[in-house]
Amino acid sequence: MSSHAETIPPAPEERERLTRIQIDRSCRQTVVWYYASAVFWLLVGTVLALIASIKMHTPGFLADWEWLTFGRVRPAHLAAMIYGWGSMAGVGTLLWLQARLTRNRLPLPTLLPATAVIWNLTVTFGVIAILAGYSTSIEWIEIPPATAILFGFCIAVIIAASIRMFRSRESEHTYVSQWYLFGAIFWFPLLYVSAQIFLHTPAAAGAVKAAANWWFAHNVLGLWFTPIGLATVYYLIPKVIGRPVHSYHLSLLGFWTLAIFYNWAGTHHLIGGPLPAWLITVGIVGSVMMFVPVITVAVNHHMTMVGNFHHLKHSPTLRFVVYGAMCYTAVSFQGSLQSLRSVNEITHFTHYTIAHAHLGVYAFFTMVMFGAIYYVAPRLLNAEWHSAGWIRVHFWTTAAGMAIYWLGLTWAGWEQGRMMNDPRIPFLDIVKYTVPWLWSRSAAGVLMTVGHLAFAWLFWNMLRKRGAYLPGPTLLLRKGEPAAVAAGGGE
Amino acid sequence: MNRAWLLALGVFATIVASVTGLVLLPDRQLRGTQPVQDEERGIAVPAGYFGDAEEGRKVYMDLGCIYCHTQQVRPEGFGADIERGWGMRRSVARDYIHDEPPLMGTMRTGPDLMNIGARQPSEQWHYLHLYDPRITSPGSIMPPHRFLFEVRHSADGLPEDAVRLPDEFAEKKPAWIVPNDRARRLVAYLKSLDHNYEVPEAR
Amino acid sequence: MAAFYIALWGLAALLGATAIAALVWAIRRGEFDRLREASLSIFDEEEPVGEVTDRFPGQRF
């Protein structure tokens, strides 16, 4: 096994072109550690989700344990999913994509895997801290700041690795996914550090902290998760179906309009709230302008897929990624509409918003990450997924579960909001109305849990290499090529 | 789009722009907002949090009350917050000058609490409600917070703020609930939530 | 308050101008000329255009 020398990589013309197998092999340890961690946090977050969901319609459930009270379980669920599952699946995918796009080995072979360990520790401390009562009580950023500092170290290493790969990249062309990924890795630390400063120092005062809170929270969705998700979609759809992206011009437009408009949408979380009217209006304008990048991306992806939808039958990755990409369009349209005052008057403060949030973080981002892991893991581990049946179970339970979740809570939230705006309806009557719909959310949650367990089982077997070791396009071999070539991998 | 530095610059510029517009400029506008004199009560309002109320605010935060309760009254004509009796006027930025951080919340699984101190000043009600919300509010889905209390079955040596549990909610009768320190502080905080004073910007 | 609005509009104008300047600069430099090639850059001899690269396990091409 060759050593990974920590010298400046040779200029593109001088070195030999790495094979894809060599690139993938170099990613194995880091990306597999990130993916395995992500799957672990997916399961933890799912348990916390079920507990929280049951508590909402059956409040006596586990009620005597203070550390599991709803007000702690709910943010613990959010932290485990956002910083555990979502971010770690995202980082793993981000690193692999950049290695592929720059045609470089993944650098920093000691530091990068170490960041996976540190990230895990940080999320663990964070979740425990929240359950123990040390949450900051600021949504999306409940992990106490002293713990969260560790994220900074990890991101710094990830940025260093990304820059190194980019600077010694082979291609003259910078693929669209690379812009989105660069955006994500620079935006996230800027957001996180700024938020910590505004929220925990006098840099912002009183009500303005709420503006800072939602500038942060909304931008984590739009400038961390969305770019990683879109970068993945832009790479995997063309790669799986073997056709290039429909319009590269549109890609450029989509990226920069996202960068500009998404940033300004955050205050739509505070419509009707105690902040200056101009601030709220700016947020609404930014939110509505999001139609531009979203339609751009939707047209691009759709036109790339046109004539190729039959591949959905045969490719697990494509199913998850296309489901995710379509939900990106849906959730963004919904978001733009929700920011209009007339709609917001009804939907604000209701279960409608929760349905919307899950349409984004789950139906878009999580499903795209599932697709990415299905594509990447076999290429890193030189093994096949051990069961097509379990993959189908995973897809259908999560796809259907998410649909039931969204339908139930969207209806419940809309009615809840309508009734709340009618002062003749007693508040407890509204609560009573929502309870059956909260049960439907738990039912959807059980379906999704089955899917997650199936996925974890598949991933466990992938790690144990229980899948058939078959030559075929999944393993980057031509028919008839000896398997030994892949096993050697150029190392 | 091949220049890393151009990309990095653009990425940086977009975020600097938004943080300036959405955080720094509003902060400039609102910083230095002072309490106003409440003629009726003869004090400066908002008064801020002291003693048990200040500690109680931390209990509110650690138990995660913000995930079901808001603290922001929407303006007249936008929703029915005022008609529901959640406040005499809409909430304004001045109401939060002592709130570090503001606990505005985003969900109304339960009612808005901006003025709960004015609406429900009874300690007994709050203790019963926290112990088991269904005692005061049939059909409520708020979680019981029994861990904030001790249950006693004899009237001897009961502290003043002990509350008699209605028989149908007591496993062993008679029963009294005695709030622990966290419960006392939380209720002190809830009772301090009263923003029904007048402010010039919301006449 | 006037100073505040001047700052707000001034910032917006400055940002808009910067964006337009960057766009013009990029066009002049020819950044937009070879986009088709860029979209093809993820393919190569081993995984060329037209070849599907993902299957359910156990399925053949």
Side-chain angles (χ1 to χ4, degrees):
Chain A
M1 198 143 100
S2 73
S3 66
H4 294 279
E6 296 292 295
T7 53
I8 312 272
E13 321 83 54
E14 289 163 15
R15 56 150 180 187
E16 73 177 86
R17 200 169 206 245
L18 290 177
T19 66
R20 203 174 311 99
I21 292 171
Q22 288 168 312
I23 295 169
D24 289 350
R25 177 69 180 81
S26 74
C27 293
R28 180 192 295 186
Q29 183 178 34
T30 301
V31 177
V32 170
W33 282 19
Y34 266 99
Y35 280 171
S37 311
V39 173
F40 168 75
W41 287 111
L42 178 71
L43 294 177
V44 169
T46 302
V47 169
L48 293 169
L50 280 175
I51 294 175
S53 184
I54 294 171
K55 276 172 179 274
M56 277 199 97
H57 51 70
T58 310
F61 180 63
L62 302 178
D64 286 327
W65 290 344
E66 185 170 356
W67 61 281
L68 279 183
T69 189
F70 180 82
R72 291 190 190 171
V73 162
R74 201 263 212 193
H77 157 71
L78 192 136
M81 288 306 201
I82 298 298
Y83 297 103
W85 155 249
S87 292
M88 296 190 87
V91 168
T93 306
L94 175 158
L95 288 170
W96 175 81
L97 275 174
Q98 290 189 111
R100 278 280 186 110
L101 292 169
T102 60
R103 289 203 159 261
N104 270 316
R105 285 197 181 90
L106 198 65
L108 308 178
T110 314
L111 275 179
L112 267 180
T115 63
V117 174
I118 294 172
W119 197 295
N120 272 318
L121 285 173
T122 311
V123 181
T124 306
F125 289 148
V127 169
I128 291 175
I130 292 170
L131 292 175
Y134 294 101
S135 156
T136 62
S137 191
I138 303 174
E139 290 194 56
W140 284 82
I141 195 166
E142 289 96 342
I143 296 180
T147 309
I149 283 179
L150 295 168
F151 285 141
F153 169 74
C154 298
I155 287 282
V157 173
I158 292 164
I159 290 178
S162 303
I163 292 177
R164 185 183 279 212
M165 283 190 281
F166 189 79
R167 286 183 57 202
S168 65
R169 72 192 180 286
E170 181 192 270
S171 171
E172 283 180 22
H173 307 291
T174 312
Y175 191 64
V176 52
S177 299
Q178 180 67 78
W179 321 325
Y180 279 108
L181 295 173
F182 253 32
I185 51 164
F186 283 113
W187 277 320
F188 183 67
L190 287 170
L191 285 171
Y192 207 89
V193 170
S194 307
Q196 298 287 19
I197 294 174
F198 286 125
L199 294 168
H200 299 294
T201 75
V208 180
K209 281 187 150 77
N213 181 183
W214 292 106
W215 167 82
F216 168 78
H218 199 81
N219 282 352
V220 164
L221 287 163
L223 304 179
W224 171 241
F225 287 125
T226 296
I228 296 178
L230 292 181
T232 307
V233 176
Y234 266 116
Y235 186 79
L236 285 181
I237 289 184
K239 263 314 230 187
V240 168
I241 66 177
R243 271 184 63 184
V245 159
H246 168 72
S247 163
Y248 220 61
H249 284 91
L250 279 184
S251 315
L252 268 172
L253 179 71
F255 176 73
W256 283 111
T257 49
L258 177 93
I260 293 169
F261 295 131
Y262 209 112
N263 255 298
W264 292 88
T267 54
H268 67 222
H269 292 266
L270 293 161
I271 297 174
L275 286 167
W278 68 262
L279 183 63
I280 308 299
T281 302
V282 161
I284 297 175
V285 169
S287 309
V288 172
M289 288 305 292
M290 280 303 295
F291 273 120
V292 175
V294 169
I295 292 175
T296 304
V297 165
V299 166
N300 223 351
H301 291 157
H302 181 79
M303 294 304 289
T304 307
M305 277 297 292
V306 151
N308 291 283
F309 282 98
H310 60 277
H311 289 300
L312 289 169
K313 264 198 302 192
H314 305 300
S315 164
T317 296
L318 201 64
R319 281 191 196 186
F320 281 100
V321 168
V322 169
Y323 184 105
M326 288 180 173
C327 288
Y328 171 68
T329 307
V331 74
S332 304
F333 273 33
Q334 184 188 35
S336 297
L337 292 173
Q338 252 172 283
S339 68
L340 299 173
R341 284 193 167 92
S342 50
V343 177
N344 193 272
E345 188 177 355
I346 298 171
T347 64
H348 199 17
F349 305 135
T350 70
H351 299 299
Y352 186 98
T353 308
I354 303 297
H356 172 74
H358 284 80
L359 189 65
V361 182
Y362 192 90
F364 161 51
F365 186 75
T366 291
M367 294 300 261
V368 170
M369 286 296 105
F370 286 147
I373 294 175
Y374 276 116
Y375 193 85
V376 176
R379 286 158 177 75
L380 300 183
L381 294 166
N382 280 351
E384 190 49 278
W385 294 102
H386 83 288
S387 159
W390 281 116
I391 299 179
R392 290 192 174 91
V393 167
H394 177 210
F395 178 75
W396 288 109
T397 50
T398 53
M402 185 58 230
I404 295 170
Y405 188 117
W406 186 84
L407 286 167
L409 286 195
T410 296
W411 175 259
W414 187 264
E415 288 298 294
Q416 182 190 8
R418 262 195 344 97
M419 289 193 277
M420 198 136 33
N421 290 342
D422 182 349
R424 295 163 304 178
I425 302 181
F427 194 87
L428 283 167
D429 285 1
I430 304 175
V431 170
K432 195 161 148 213
Y433 179 86
T434 61
V435 169
W437 298 106
L438 296 174
W439 276 96
S440 81
R441 189 255 300 272
S442 288
V446 167
L447 259 183
M448 289 152 83
T449 303
V450 169
H452 298 164
L453 289 170
F455 182 61
W457 175 238
L458 283 160
F459 193 82
W460 173 248
N461 281 287
M462 166 63 68
L463 288 177
R464 311 290 307 277
K465 306 221 185 164
R466 289 286 151 77
Y469 185 75
L470 295 167
T474 330
L475 299 178
L476 313 169
L477 297 174
R478 288 267 173 287
K479 281 195 181 59
E481 199 168 304
V485 171
E491 292 300 332
Chain B
M1 274 292 309
N2 299 329
R3 299 272 162 229
W5 64 263
L6 179 68
L7 190 48
L9 190 67
V11 160
F12 191 68
T14 52
I15 209 172
V16 166
S18 72
V19 78
T20 304
L22 296 184
V23 182
L24 297 177
L25 284 177
D27 188 70
R28 193 98 180 67
Q29 183 180 350
L30 295 173
R31 185 173 282 275
T33 307
Q34 295 298 323
V36 287
Q37 192 64 14
D38 183 352
E39 302 302 338
E40 236 176 79
R41 299 177 235 190
I43 53 167
V45 284
Y49 311 100
F50 305 98
D52 274 353
E54 191 179 7
E55 291 303 308
R57 188 164 200 273
K58 294 181 194 154
V59 176
Y60 186 97
M61 287 166 66
D62 95 47
L63 291 175
C65 305
I66 61 159
Y67 298 102
C68 290
H69 291 283
T70 56
Q71 285 182 24
Q72 46 173 304
V73 178
R74 290 189 293 183
E76 195 136 21
F78 192 70
D81 297 12
I82 294 175
E83 290 97 305
R84 281 194 173 271
W86 286 343
M88 289 170 47
R89 58 163 174 82
R90 67 179 167 95
S91 299
V92 297
R94 196 190 300 267
D95 295 325
Y96 303 90
I97 55 178
H98 300 295
D99 290 24
E100 299 285 326
L103 301 174
M104 292 183 196
T106 50
M107 283 285 284
R108 282 178 176 172
T109 315
D112 185 272
L113 299 180
M114 192 66 173
N115 295 293
I116 188 69
R119 200 158 70 243
Q120 185 53 268
S122 156
E123 270 174 29
Q124 277 76 28
W125 186 94
H126 281 294
Y127 288 137
L128 285 172
H129 182 245
L130 280 169
Y131 180 79
D132 187 340
R134 274 150 298 281
I135 299 174
T136 60
S137 318
S140 168
I141 56 176
M142 172 163 151
H145 289 69
R146 290 189 280 261
F147 45 79
L148 291 175
F149 300 87
E150 192 200 329
V151 180
R152 300 226 201 127
H153 298 288
S154 149
D156 297 332
L158 278 180
E160 252 186 54
D161 51 17
V163 183
R164 176 72 192 265
L165 213 51
D167 280 344
E168 59 268 33
F169 289 98
E171 273 174 29
K172 197 174 122 194
K173 306 169 232 296
W176 289 263
I177 53 171
V178 176
N180 67 18
D181 281 340
R182 278 157 62 77
R184 289 196 184 97
R185 290 169 184 156
L186 178 59
V187 171
Y189 168 68
L190 293 173
K191 283 180 62 174
S192 77
L193 291 175
D194 178 352
H195 295 87
N196 279 330
Y197 45 85
E198 274 190 19
V199 288
E201 58 266 35
R203 286 260 150 76
Chain C
M1 206 46 192
F4 169 78
Y5 281 115
I6 291 170
L8 188 60
W9 283 108
L11 176 72
L14 182 66
L15 288 171
T18 310
I20 293 172
L23 187 62
V24 169
W25 176 90
I27 293 172
R28 286 236 182 90
R29 275 189 53 100
E31 300 272 357
F32 292 89
D33 294 337
R34 292 187 315 272
L35 295 183
R36 178 88 187 137
E37 288 167 45
S39 74
L40 293 171
S41 64
I42 59 172
F43 300 98
D44 55 30
E45 315 88 54
E46 285 172 11
E47 286 185 344
V49 172
E51 177 159 311
V52 175
T53 63
D54 188 52
R55 271 287 185 255
F56 271 91
Q59 279 179 352
R60 289 288 159 267
F61 286 82

